[in-house]
């Protein structure tokens, strides 16, 4: 992760980049619209469950399993081909995320290891630990240069220190940095995209921005498309102020689209109840 200058709170420094404050405000308004909907007062659990399903579908779509929502809803067996297993991994991660909120601020690396273990669902010795030099990485969406194991270890430790220390930065900034850093590093041998997007969700929920987890950024990332996602990530990896701001704005737009999705679900439920 790169910042615009040396500071005790580099995440807060990113929050001061041009355009970031506007993204933060736009996200807050979108989230507030969902939480202010009359349906949320009576049926928030249903909205949360639907957001989880749609978020998992969106995350899997970005990783190569672009299924129709009704197909995800209908399926009970996700042990078949590669796409089915990928979808199953996304659904497991979404379910697991809520169980890890209390651990994240104290031990983010433990949470990341757990997320990979849940996603990979195997007994391979590489599951649940950062990769070592020479070990392959299966992440076809991201073709950027792969950092070596020493860099991965150092940057993961640095990211963990930032999270544990806390920051005055807006939740969107922290979530975007966690997401971008994990995609840039690809610390595990597989499922890095799914893990990165789940970690983003954990930050957004745990920060209090989206406490009921009804604004699935994964939906927005999928809607914006794989090309835009990769292009924005390249901005993050560049480390330039403009690139970092563009990545944060991209993540903000994804949250807004997730909020819009859940607002539409609220409207549909309200029509059904009328």
């Amino acid at each position: 992760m790169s910042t615009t200058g040396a500071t005790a709170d580099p995440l807060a420094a990113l929050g001061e980049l041009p355009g970031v404050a506007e993204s933060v405000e736009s996200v807050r308004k979108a989230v507030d619209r969902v939480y202010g909907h009359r349906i949320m007062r009576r049926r928030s659990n249903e909205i949360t469950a639907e957001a989880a399903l749609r978020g998992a579908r969106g995350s899997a779509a970005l990783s190569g399993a672009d299924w129709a929502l009704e197909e995800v809803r209908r399926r009970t067996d996700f042990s078949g081909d590669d796409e089915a297993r990928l979808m199953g991994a996304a659904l497991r991660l979404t379910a697991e995320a809520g169980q890890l909120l209390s651990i994240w601020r104290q031990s983010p690396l433990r949470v990341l290891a757990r997320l990979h273990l849940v996603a990979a669902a195997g007994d391979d010795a590489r599951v649940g630990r950062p990769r070592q030099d020479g070990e392959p990485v299966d992440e076809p969406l991201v073709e950027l240069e792969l950092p070596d194991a020493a860099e991965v270890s150092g940057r993961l430790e640095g990211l963990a220190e930032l999270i544990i220390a806390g920051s005055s930065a807006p939740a969107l900034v922290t979530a975007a940095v966690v997401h971008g850093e994990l995609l840039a590093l690809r610390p595990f041998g597989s499922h890095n995209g799914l893990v990165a997007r789940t970690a983003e969700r954990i930050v957004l929920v745990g920060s209090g921005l989206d406490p009921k987890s009804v604004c699935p950024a994964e939906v927005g990332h999928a809607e914006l498309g794989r090309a835009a996602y990769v292009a924005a990530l390249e901005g993050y990896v560049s480390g330039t102020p403009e690139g970092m701001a563009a990545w944060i704005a991209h993540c903000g737009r994804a949250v807004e689209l997730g909020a819009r999705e859940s607002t539409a679900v609220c409207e549909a439920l309200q029509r059904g109840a009328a």
Side-chain angles (χ1 to χ4, degrees):
M1 183 188 72
S2 173
T3 67
T4 55
T7 172
D9 191 350
L11 294 176
L14 294 177
E16 297 172 1
L17 291 173
V20 170
E22 290 82 355
S23 293
V24 168
E25 179 62 20
S26 185
V27 165
R28 168 53 67 189
K29 288 179 179 177
V31 173
D32 285 348
R33 278 194 292 273
V34 180
Y35 279 84
H37 200 285
R38 58 183 296 185
I39 288 293
M40 280 292 293
R41 293 196 293 271
R42 296 182 287 111
R43 303 176 70 174
S44 64
N45 288 344
E46 292 176 65
I47 308 302
T48 296
E50 188 65 19
L53 184 72
R54 294 176 184 227
R57 194 217 71 82
S59 191
L62 280 173
S63 288
D66 192 0
W67 289 14
L69 182 62
E70 290 311 312
E71 175 67 8
V72 181
R73 205 187 302 279
R74 181 187 67 79
R75 281 284 190 107
T76 57
D77 181 8
F78 296 93
S79 62
D81 58 20
D82 288 346
E83 284 196 8
R85 287 191 291 272
L86 186 60
M87 185 63 68
L91 289 165
R92 290 193 301 274
L93 284 174
T94 300
E96 187 74 11
Q99 311 302 314
L100 299 173
L101 292 170
S102 62
I103 305 171
W104 174 253
R105 283 292 300 273
Q106 286 74 42
S107 186
L109 297 185
R110 179 181 163 196
V111 169
L112 294 175
R114 174 62 184 170
L115 291 176
H116 187 245
L117 189 67
V118 168
D123 55 7
D124 190 306
R126 295 173 296 176
V127 171
R129 67 154 173 80
R131 58 184 168 79
Q132 299 173 2
D133 281 333
E135 292 181 345
V137 174
D138 179 16
E139 196 63 49
L141 177 61
V142 181
E143 298 178 352
L144 299 170
E145 183 178 353
L146 197 65
D148 63 28
E151 182 177 353
V152 168
S153 178
R155 286 172 63 175
L156 281 178
E157 288 290 344
L159 182 64
E161 289 171 5
L162 287 175
I163 293 165
I164 292 168
S167 172
S168 62
L172 171 63
V173 173
T174 303
V177 167
V178 167
H179 185 171
E181 194 71 355
L182 292 175
L183 276 182
L185 295 177
R186 283 146 289 160
F188 303 110
S190 64
H191 299 90
N192 289 288
L194 294 181
V195 169
R197 291 184 288 275
T198 305
E200 179 186 49
R201 173 187 286 263
I202 287 172
V203 174
L204 293 171
V205 174
S207 67
L209 176 63
D210 180 22
K212 294 184 183 293
S213 194
V214 296
C215 302
E218 305 96 321
V219 168
H221 286 303
E223 184 173 336
L224 291 168
R226 300 176 82 183
Y229 187 69
V230 172
L233 176 64
E234 289 173 351
Y236 176 87
V237 171
S238 76
T240 65
E242 297 81 9
M244 298 289 283
W247 170 250
I248 294 167
H250 184 86
C251 291
R253 182 60 180 149
V255 176
E256 290 180 54
L257 291 171
R260 187 182 71 179
E261 184 91 352
S262 286
T263 300
V265 172
C266 287
E267 293 292 333
L269 288 174
Q270 182 169 283
R271 288 194 298 272

